[in-house]
Amino acid sequence: QLQLVESGGGLVQPGGSLRLSCAASEFTFDYYAIGWFRQAPGKEREGVSCIGSSDGSTYYADSVKGRFTISRDNAKNTVYLHMNSLKPEDTAGYYCALRDGSLTRNALEYHYWGQGTQVTVSS
């Protein structure tokens, strides 16, 4: 059964950086679109960034554009979310998700989800 495992979260000061990883246990990983979502307590889940399966197309939420970069290494079945210039409002649980289809920011269209990794931005 396909599994997704996130890592790389932690506590960082405002302005700092983190790199989140999402590792998939699926040898045909490169056929899937991957999305990163986040959810803070009391807030709705937000689509942060997504990357397509074949053409490398990407999507970024306006709130992270210019600060976050998504990338994938199909040889390692891993997608990364590089987060720079972190702000306290980036604090949330971050989840990666996978779908067999084209890129979309709609969380309801993703079929598999990881358990999440916590990112806390605080001084």
Side-chain angles (χ1 to χ4, degrees), residues 53-86:
S53 58
S54 57
D55 61 1
S57 56
T58 57
Y59 158 82
Y60 295 96
D62 288 342
S63 57
V64 306
K65 202 170 293 184
R67 300 188 297 121
F68 291 10
T69 302
I70 192 170
S71 63
R72 65 190 299 160
D73 185 341
N74 290 335
K76 295 182 178 180
N77 284 3
T78 302
V79 168
Y80 303 99
L81 186 67
H82 305 260
M83 307 187 296
N84 298 317
S85 303
L86 283 162

PDB file of all heavy atoms in Angstrom, residues 53-86:
ATOM      1  N   SER A  53       3.031  15.839 -12.433  1.00  0.00           N
ATOM      2  CA  SER A  53       3.683  14.545 -12.546  1.00  0.00           C
ATOM      3  C   SER A  53       4.736  14.489 -13.643  1.00  0.00           C
ATOM      4  O   SER A  53       5.781  13.870 -13.473  1.00  0.00           O
ATOM      5  CB  SER A  53       2.642  13.462 -12.815  1.00  0.00           C
ATOM      6  OG  SER A  53       1.918  13.770 -14.002  1.00  0.00           O
ATOM      7  N   SER A  54       4.503  15.121 -14.755  1.00  0.00           N
ATOM      8  CA  SER A  54       5.392  14.922 -15.895  1.00  0.00           C
ATOM      9  C   SER A  54       6.090  16.187 -16.372  1.00  0.00           C
ATOM     10  O   SER A  54       7.284  16.159 -16.666  1.00  0.00           O
ATOM     11  CB  SER A  54       4.609  14.309 -17.061  1.00  0.00           C
ATOM     12  OG  SER A  54       3.519  15.142 -17.407  1.00  0.00           O
ATOM     13  N   ASP A  55       5.375  17.284 -16.423  1.00  0.00           N
ATOM     14  CA  ASP A  55       5.955  18.488 -17.001  1.00  0.00           C
ATOM     15  C   ASP A  55       6.585  19.410 -15.974  1.00  0.00           C
ATOM     16  O   ASP A  55       7.124  20.459 -16.339  1.00  0.00           O
ATOM     17  CB  ASP A  55       4.900  19.257 -17.806  1.00  0.00           C
ATOM     18  CG  ASP A  55       3.719  19.709 -16.950  1.00  0.00           C
ATOM     19  OD1 ASP A  55       3.741  19.434 -15.731  1.00  0.00           O
ATOM     20  OD2 ASP A  55       2.794  20.318 -17.499  1.00  0.00           O
ATOM     21  N   GLY A  56       6.518  19.017 -14.709  1.00  0.00           N
ATOM     22  CA  GLY A  56       7.139  19.838 -13.673  1.00  0.00           C
ATOM     23  C   GLY A  56       6.408  21.123 -13.378  1.00  0.00           C
ATOM     24  O   GLY A  56       6.947  22.018 -12.723  1.00  0.00           O
ATOM     25  N   SER A  57       5.168  21.216 -13.841  1.00  0.00           N
ATOM     26  CA  SER A  57       4.395  22.430 -13.563  1.00  0.00           C
ATOM     27  C   SER A  57       4.187  22.573 -12.066  1.00  0.00           C
ATOM     28  O   SER A  57       4.122  21.575 -11.341  1.00  0.00           O
ATOM     29  CB  SER A  57       3.054  22.382 -14.291  1.00  0.00           C
ATOM     30  OG  SER A  57       2.341  21.217 -13.923  1.00  0.00           O
ATOM     31  N   THR A  58       4.105  23.807 -11.612  1.00  0.00           N
ATOM     32  CA  THR A  58       3.982  24.061 -10.182  1.00  0.00           C
ATOM     33  C   THR A  58       2.895  25.092  -9.896  1.00  0.00           C
ATOM     34  O   THR A  58       2.501  25.872 -10.771  1.00  0.00           O
ATOM     35  CB  THR A  58       5.306  24.569  -9.587  1.00  0.00           C
ATOM     36  OG1 THR A  58       5.708  25.750 -10.299  1.00  0.00           O
ATOM     37  CG2 THR A  58       6.398  23.523  -9.698  1.00  0.00           C
ATOM     38  N   TYR A  59       2.435  25.053  -8.662  1.00  0.00           N
ATOM     39  CA  TYR A  59       1.480  26.032  -8.166  1.00  0.00           C
ATOM     40  C   TYR A  59       1.946  26.488  -6.786  1.00  0.00           C
ATOM     41  O   TYR A  59       2.454  25.675  -6.002  1.00  0.00           O
ATOM     42  CB  TYR A  59       0.076  25.422  -8.058  1.00  0.00           C
ATOM     43  CG  TYR A  59      -0.802  26.171  -7.089  1.00  0.00           C
ATOM     44  CD1 TYR A  59      -1.467  27.330  -7.485  1.00  0.00           C
ATOM     45  CD2 TYR A  59      -0.935  25.744  -5.771  1.00  0.00           C
ATOM     46  CE1 TYR A  59      -2.247  28.034  -6.585  1.00  0.00           C
ATOM     47  CE2 TYR A  59      -1.713  26.445  -4.869  1.00  0.00           C
ATOM     48  CZ  TYR A  59      -2.367  27.587  -5.279  1.00  0.00           C
ATOM     49  OH  TYR A  59      -3.134  28.290  -4.388  1.00  0.00           O
ATOM     50  N   TYR A  60       1.783  27.771  -6.520  1.00  0.00           N
ATOM     51  CA  TYR A  60       2.087  28.305  -5.191  1.00  0.00           C
ATOM     52  C   TYR A  60       0.940  29.198  -4.746  1.00  0.00           C
ATOM     53  O   TYR A  60       0.427  30.005  -5.518  1.00  0.00           O
ATOM     54  CB  TYR A  60       3.375  29.130  -5.207  1.00  0.00           C
ATOM     55  CG  TYR A  60       4.612  28.339  -5.529  1.00  0.00           C
ATOM     56  CD1 TYR A  60       5.120  28.291  -6.818  1.00  0.00           C
ATOM     57  CD2 TYR A  60       5.268  27.618  -4.528  1.00  0.00           C
ATOM     58  CE1 TYR A  60       6.251  27.549  -7.120  1.00  0.00           C
ATOM     59  CE2 TYR A  60       6.406  26.882  -4.815  1.00  0.00           C
ATOM     60  CZ  TYR A  60       6.880  26.848  -6.120  1.00  0.00           C
ATOM     61  OH  TYR A  60       8.004  26.111  -6.400  1.00  0.00           O
ATOM     62  N   ALA A  61       0.573  29.074  -3.482  1.00  0.00           N
ATOM     63  CA  ALA A  61      -0.387  30.011  -2.910  1.00  0.00           C
ATOM     64  C   ALA A  61       0.249  31.393  -2.853  1.00  0.00           C
ATOM     65  O   ALA A  61       1.472  31.522  -2.691  1.00  0.00           O
ATOM     66  CB  ALA A  61      -0.777  29.546  -1.510  1.00  0.00           C
ATOM     67  N   ASP A  62      -0.558  32.415  -2.972  1.00  0.00           N
ATOM     68  CA  ASP A  62      -0.044  33.779  -2.942  1.00  0.00           C
ATOM     69  C   ASP A  62       0.730  34.053  -1.649  1.00  0.00           C
ATOM     70  O   ASP A  62       1.710  34.811  -1.652  1.00  0.00           O
ATOM     71  CB  ASP A  62      -1.183  34.778  -3.079  1.00  0.00           C
ATOM     72  CG  ASP A  62      -1.753  34.815  -4.487  1.00  0.00           C
ATOM     73  OD1 ASP A  62      -1.075  34.337  -5.425  1.00  0.00           O
ATOM     74  OD2 ASP A  62      -2.879  35.307  -4.651  1.00  0.00           O
ATOM     75  N   SER A  63       0.305  33.417  -0.571  1.00  0.00           N
ATOM     76  CA  SER A  63       0.916  33.673   0.729  1.00  0.00           C
ATOM     77  C   SER A  63       2.350  33.165   0.820  1.00  0.00           C
ATOM     78  O   SER A  63       3.096  33.585   1.721  1.00  0.00           O
ATOM     79  CB  SER A  63       0.074  33.033   1.834  1.00  0.00           C
ATOM     80  OG  SER A  63      -0.071  31.647   1.620  1.00  0.00           O
ATOM     81  N   VAL A  64       2.756  32.272  -0.079  1.00  0.00           N
ATOM     82  CA  VAL A  64       4.113  31.715  -0.007  1.00  0.00           C
ATOM     83  C   VAL A  64       4.923  31.978  -1.270  1.00  0.00           C
ATOM     84  O   VAL A  64       6.113  31.638  -1.323  1.00  0.00           O
ATOM     85  CB  VAL A  64       4.078  30.195   0.261  1.00  0.00           C
ATOM     86  CG1 VAL A  64       3.247  29.887   1.495  1.00  0.00           C
ATOM     87  CG2 VAL A  64       3.562  29.427  -0.950  1.00  0.00           C
ATOM     88  N   LYS A  65       4.296  32.567  -2.257  1.00  0.00           N
ATOM     89  CA  LYS A  65       4.980  32.799  -3.531  1.00  0.00           C
ATOM     90  C   LYS A  65       6.216  33.659  -3.314  1.00  0.00           C
ATOM     91  O   LYS A  65       6.179  34.678  -2.622  1.00  0.00           O
ATOM     92  CB  LYS A  65       4.010  33.473  -4.501  1.00  0.00           C
ATOM     93  CG  LYS A  65       4.363  33.315  -5.957  1.00  0.00           C
ATOM     94  CD  LYS A  65       3.212  33.804  -6.837  1.00  0.00           C
ATOM     95  CE  LYS A  65       1.995  32.932  -6.707  1.00  0.00           C
ATOM     96  NZ  LYS A  65       0.896  33.327  -7.628  1.00  0.00           N
ATOM     97  N   GLY A  66       7.328  33.216  -3.887  1.00  0.00           N
ATOM     98  CA  GLY A  66       8.585  33.925  -3.736  1.00  0.00           C
ATOM     99  C   GLY A  66       9.387  33.505  -2.516  1.00  0.00           C
ATOM    100  O   GLY A  66      10.559  33.865  -2.392  1.00  0.00           O
ATOM    101  N   ARG A  67       8.774  32.749  -1.618  1.00  0.00           N
ATOM    102  CA  ARG A  67       9.467  32.289  -0.411  1.00  0.00           C
ATOM    103  C   ARG A  67       9.632  30.772  -0.384  1.00  0.00           C
ATOM    104  O   ARG A  67      10.620  30.271   0.153  1.00  0.00           O
ATOM    105  CB  ARG A  67       8.700  32.729   0.843  1.00  0.00           C
ATOM    106  CG  ARG A  67       8.543  34.225   0.972  1.00  0.00           C
ATOM    107  CD  ARG A  67       7.941  34.601   2.330  1.00  0.00           C
ATOM    108  NE  ARG A  67       6.592  34.061   2.512  1.00  0.00           N
ATOM    109  CZ  ARG A  67       6.249  33.247   3.501  1.00  0.00           C
ATOM    110  NH1 ARG A  67       7.148  32.859   4.394  1.00  0.00           N
ATOM    111  NH2 ARG A  67       4.992  32.826   3.613  1.00  0.00           N
ATOM    112  N   PHE A  68       8.671  30.057  -0.925  1.00  0.00           N
ATOM    113  CA  PHE A  68       8.694  28.597  -0.926  1.00  0.00           C
ATOM    114  C   PHE A  68       8.993  28.094  -2.335  1.00  0.00           C
ATOM    115  O   PHE A  68       8.557  28.695  -3.328  1.00  0.00           O
ATOM    116  CB  PHE A  68       7.357  28.018  -0.481  1.00  0.00           C
ATOM    117  CG  PHE A  68       7.009  28.229   0.977  1.00  0.00           C
ATOM    118  CD1 PHE A  68       7.755  29.081   1.787  1.00  0.00           C
ATOM    119  CD2 PHE A  68       5.943  27.558   1.545  1.00  0.00           C
ATOM    120  CE1 PHE A  68       7.436  29.263   3.117  1.00  0.00           C
ATOM    121  CE2 PHE A  68       5.605  27.720   2.878  1.00  0.00           C
ATOM    122  CZ  PHE A  68       6.351  28.587   3.661  1.00  0.00           C
ATOM    123  N   THR A  69       9.678  26.960  -2.408  1.00  0.00           N
ATOM    124  CA  THR A  69       9.957  26.315  -3.685  1.00  0.00           C
ATOM    125  C   THR A  69       9.700  24.825  -3.548  1.00  0.00           C
ATOM    126  O   THR A  69      10.216  24.194  -2.621  1.00  0.00           O
ATOM    127  CB  THR A  69      11.409  26.540  -4.130  1.00  0.00           C
ATOM    128  OG1 THR A  69      11.677  27.936  -4.219  1.00  0.00           O
ATOM    129  CG2 THR A  69      11.656  25.894  -5.494  1.00  0.00           C
ATOM    130  N   ILE A  70       8.923  24.291  -4.474  1.00  0.00           N
ATOM    131  CA  ILE A  70       8.658  22.851  -4.480  1.00  0.00           C
ATOM    132  C   ILE A  70       9.507  22.194  -5.560  1.00  0.00           C
ATOM    133  O   ILE A  70       9.731  22.775  -6.631  1.00  0.00           O
ATOM    134  CB  ILE A  70       7.148  22.564  -4.708  1.00  0.00           C
ATOM    135  CG1 ILE A  70       6.830  21.103  -4.436  1.00  0.00           C
ATOM    136  CG2 ILE A  70       6.714  22.992  -6.100  1.00  0.00           C
ATOM    137  CD1 ILE A  70       5.319  20.817  -4.399  1.00  0.00           C
ATOM    138  N   SER A  71      10.002  21.009  -5.257  1.00  0.00           N
ATOM    139  CA  SER A  71      10.794  20.271  -6.233  1.00  0.00           C
ATOM    140  C   SER A  71      10.590  18.781  -6.000  1.00  0.00           C
ATOM    141  O   SER A  71      10.117  18.379  -4.941  1.00  0.00           O
ATOM    142  CB  SER A  71      12.277  20.639  -6.134  1.00  0.00           C
ATOM    143  OG  SER A  71      12.800  20.269  -4.868  1.00  0.00           O
ATOM    144  N   ARG A  72      10.942  17.989  -6.973  1.00  0.00           N
ATOM    145  CA  ARG A  72      10.786  16.543  -6.819  1.00  0.00           C
ATOM    146  C   ARG A  72      12.010  15.826  -7.372  1.00  0.00           C
ATOM    147  O   ARG A  72      12.620  16.271  -8.346  1.00  0.00           O
ATOM    148  CB  ARG A  72       9.509  16.043  -7.507  1.00  0.00           C
ATOM    149  CG  ARG A  72       9.466  16.187  -9.008  1.00  0.00           C
ATOM    150  CD  ARG A  72       8.057  15.894  -9.531  1.00  0.00           C
ATOM    151  NE  ARG A  72       7.636  14.539  -9.223  1.00  0.00           N
ATOM    152  CZ  ARG A  72       6.358  14.140  -9.210  1.00  0.00           C
ATOM    153  NH1 ARG A  72       5.393  15.003  -9.471  1.00  0.00           N
ATOM    154  NH2 ARG A  72       6.047  12.887  -8.931  1.00  0.00           N
ATOM    155  N   ASP A  73      12.336  14.722  -6.737  1.00  0.00           N
ATOM    156  CA  ASP A  73      13.416  13.840  -7.184  1.00  0.00           C
ATOM    157  C   ASP A  73      12.779  12.476  -7.387  1.00  0.00           C
ATOM    158  O   ASP A  73      12.622  11.704  -6.435  1.00  0.00           O
ATOM    159  CB  ASP A  73      14.538  13.797  -6.140  1.00  0.00           C
ATOM    160  CG  ASP A  73      15.732  12.994  -6.606  1.00  0.00           C
ATOM    161  OD1 ASP A  73      15.582  12.178  -7.541  1.00  0.00           O
ATOM    162  OD2 ASP A  73      16.815  13.164  -6.026  1.00  0.00           O
ATOM    163  N   ASN A  74      12.394  12.190  -8.614  1.00  0.00           N
ATOM    164  CA  ASN A  74      11.682  10.938  -8.886  1.00  0.00           C
ATOM    165  C   ASN A  74      12.552   9.714  -8.612  1.00  0.00           C
ATOM    166  O   ASN A  74      12.033   8.651  -8.268  1.00  0.00           O
ATOM    167  CB  ASN A  74      11.181  10.926 -10.329  1.00  0.00           C
ATOM    168  CG  ASN A  74      10.051  11.910 -10.541  1.00  0.00           C
ATOM    169  OD1 ASN A  74       9.321  12.276  -9.604  1.00  0.00           O
ATOM    170  ND2 ASN A  74       9.878  12.363 -11.775  1.00  0.00           N
ATOM    171  N   ALA A  75      13.847   9.844  -8.754  1.00  0.00           N
ATOM    172  CA  ALA A  75      14.739   8.709  -8.487  1.00  0.00           C
ATOM    173  C   ALA A  75      14.697   8.314  -7.017  1.00  0.00           C
ATOM    174  O   ALA A  75      14.936   7.153  -6.666  1.00  0.00           O
ATOM    175  CB  ALA A  75      16.159   9.051  -8.904  1.00  0.00           C
ATOM    176  N   LYS A  76      14.397   9.288  -6.153  1.00  0.00           N
ATOM    177  CA  LYS A  76      14.325   9.029  -4.718  1.00  0.00           C
ATOM    178  C   LYS A  76      12.883   8.968  -4.216  1.00  0.00           C
ATOM    179  O   LYS A  76      12.662   8.862  -3.010  1.00  0.00           O
ATOM    180  CB  LYS A  76      15.089  10.116  -3.955  1.00  0.00           C
ATOM    181  CG  LYS A  76      16.580  10.134  -4.232  1.00  0.00           C
ATOM    182  CD  LYS A  76      17.278  11.197  -3.397  1.00  0.00           C
ATOM    183  CE  LYS A  76      18.784  11.190  -3.640  1.00  0.00           C
ATOM    184  NZ  LYS A  76      19.479  12.221  -2.829  1.00  0.00           N
ATOM    185  N   ASN A  77      11.924   9.063  -5.139  1.00  0.00           N
ATOM    186  CA  ASN A  77      10.504   9.063  -4.740  1.00  0.00           C
ATOM    187  C   ASN A  77      10.226  10.107  -3.663  1.00  0.00           C
ATOM    188  O   ASN A  77       9.503   9.849  -2.697  1.00  0.00           O
ATOM    189  CB  ASN A  77      10.073   7.685  -4.234  1.00  0.00           C
ATOM    190  CG  ASN A  77       9.869   6.687  -5.360  1.00  0.00           C
ATOM    191  OD1 ASN A  77      10.108   7.010  -6.523  1.00  0.00           O
ATOM    192  ND2 ASN A  77       9.441   5.493  -5.028  1.00  0.00           N
ATOM    193  N   THR A  78      10.798  11.292  -3.843  1.00  0.00           N
ATOM    194  CA  THR A  78      10.706  12.323  -2.805  1.00  0.00           C
ATOM    195  C   THR A  78      10.373  13.677  -3.416  1.00  0.00           C
ATOM    196  O   THR A  78      10.877  14.028  -4.484  1.00  0.00           O
ATOM    197  CB  THR A  78      12.022  12.423  -2.015  1.00  0.00           C
ATOM    198  OG1 THR A  78      12.311  11.151  -1.426  1.00  0.00           O
ATOM    199  CG2 THR A  78      11.921  13.458  -0.903  1.00  0.00           C
ATOM    200  N   VAL A  79       9.513  14.393  -2.716  1.00  0.00           N
ATOM    201  CA  VAL A  79       9.199  15.778  -3.059  1.00  0.00           C
ATOM    202  C   VAL A  79       9.640  16.652  -1.895  1.00  0.00           C
ATOM    203  O   VAL A  79       9.482  16.275  -0.736  1.00  0.00           O
ATOM    204  CB  VAL A  79       7.700  15.958  -3.336  1.00  0.00           C
ATOM    205  CG1 VAL A  79       7.332  17.428  -3.408  1.00  0.00           C
ATOM    206  CG2 VAL A  79       7.314  15.270  -4.632  1.00  0.00           C
ATOM    207  N   TYR A  80      10.194  17.808  -2.237  1.00  0.00           N
ATOM    208  CA  TYR A  80      10.710  18.719  -1.221  1.00  0.00           C
ATOM    209  C   TYR A  80       9.924  20.031  -1.255  1.00  0.00           C
ATOM    210  O   TYR A  80       9.460  20.466  -2.299  1.00  0.00           O
ATOM    211  CB  TYR A  80      12.183  19.015  -1.474  1.00  0.00           C
ATOM    212  CG  TYR A  80      13.058  17.795  -1.520  1.00  0.00           C
ATOM    213  CD1 TYR A  80      13.445  17.234  -2.735  1.00  0.00           C
ATOM    214  CD2 TYR A  80      13.504  17.195  -0.346  1.00  0.00           C
ATOM    215  CE1 TYR A  80      14.232  16.106  -2.788  1.00  0.00           C
ATOM    216  CE2 TYR A  80      14.305  16.065  -0.390  1.00  0.00           C
ATOM    217  CZ  TYR A  80      14.664  15.526  -1.608  1.00  0.00           C
ATOM    218  OH  TYR A  80      15.453  14.406  -1.641  1.00  0.00           O
ATOM    219  N   LEU A  81       9.828  20.642  -0.100  1.00  0.00           N
ATOM    220  CA  LEU A  81       9.292  21.993   0.000  1.00  0.00           C
ATOM    221  C   LEU A  81      10.336  22.824   0.729  1.00  0.00           C
ATOM    222  O   LEU A  81      10.534  22.675   1.926  1.00  0.00           O
ATOM    223  CB  LEU A  81       7.962  22.022   0.740  1.00  0.00           C
ATOM    224  CG  LEU A  81       7.271  23.384   0.766  1.00  0.00           C
ATOM    225  CD1 LEU A  81       6.833  23.780  -0.646  1.00  0.00           C
ATOM    226  CD2 LEU A  81       6.076  23.377   1.721  1.00  0.00           C
ATOM    227  N   HIS A  82      11.014  23.676  -0.033  1.00  0.00           N
ATOM    228  CA  HIS A  82      12.025  24.556   0.528  1.00  0.00           C
ATOM    229  C   HIS A  82      11.324  25.829   0.975  1.00  0.00           C
ATOM    230  O   HIS A  82      10.706  26.521   0.162  1.00  0.00           O
ATOM    231  CB  HIS A  82      13.079  24.896  -0.518  1.00  0.00           C
ATOM    232  CG  HIS A  82      13.725  23.695  -1.145  1.00  0.00           C
ATOM    233  ND1 HIS A  82      14.964  23.228  -0.769  1.00  0.00           N
ATOM    234  CD2 HIS A  82      13.291  22.860  -2.123  1.00  0.00           C
ATOM    235  CE1 HIS A  82      15.263  22.160  -1.496  1.00  0.00           C
ATOM    236  NE2 HIS A  82      14.272  21.911  -2.319  1.00  0.00           N
ATOM    237  N   MET A  83      11.439  26.124   2.256  1.00  0.00           N
ATOM    238  CA  MET A  83      10.729  27.268   2.839  1.00  0.00           C
ATOM    239  C   MET A  83      11.745  28.274   3.366  1.00  0.00           C
ATOM    240  O   MET A  83      12.523  27.944   4.265  1.00  0.00           O
ATOM    241  CB  MET A  83       9.796  26.805   3.951  1.00  0.00           C
ATOM    242  CG  MET A  83       8.843  25.690   3.520  1.00  0.00           C
ATOM    243  SD  MET A  83       7.618  25.285   4.774  1.00  0.00           S
ATOM    244  CE  MET A  83       8.679  24.677   6.074  1.00  0.00           C
ATOM    245  N   ASN A  84      11.728  29.452   2.792  1.00  0.00           N
ATOM    246  CA  ASN A  84      12.635  30.526   3.200  1.00  0.00           C
ATOM    247  C   ASN A  84      11.835  31.695   3.747  1.00  0.00           C
ATOM    248  O   ASN A  84      10.624  31.799   3.529  1.00  0.00           O
ATOM    249  CB  ASN A  84      13.475  30.985   2.015  1.00  0.00           C
ATOM    250  CG  ASN A  84      14.364  29.885   1.465  1.00  0.00           C
ATOM    251  OD1 ASN A  84      14.979  29.138   2.218  1.00  0.00           O
ATOM    252  ND2 ASN A  84      14.447  29.791   0.137  1.00  0.00           N
ATOM    253  N   SER A  85      12.521  32.582   4.434  1.00  0.00           N
ATOM    254  CA  SER A  85      11.894  33.801   4.976  1.00  0.00           C
ATOM    255  C   SER A  85      10.615  33.463   5.733  1.00  0.00           C
ATOM    256  O   SER A  85       9.573  34.088   5.537  1.00  0.00           O
ATOM    257  CB  SER A  85      11.591  34.796   3.850  1.00  0.00           C
ATOM    258  OG  SER A  85      12.771  35.122   3.136  1.00  0.00           O
ATOM    259  N   LEU A  86      10.710  32.481   6.589  1.00  0.00           N
ATOM    260  CA  LEU A  86       9.517  32.003   7.298  1.00  0.00           C
ATOM    261  C   LEU A  86       8.961  33.068   8.226  1.00  0.00           C
ATOM    262  O   LEU A  86       9.708  33.862   8.823  1.00  0.00           O
ATOM    263  CB  LEU A  86       9.849  30.728   8.064  1.00  0.00           C
ATOM    264  CG  LEU A  86       9.942  29.475   7.178  1.00  0.00           C
ATOM    265  CD1 LEU A  86      10.691  28.363   7.896  1.00  0.00           C
ATOM    266  CD2 LEU A  86       8.554  29.024   6.773  1.00  0.00           C
TER     267      LEU A  86
END
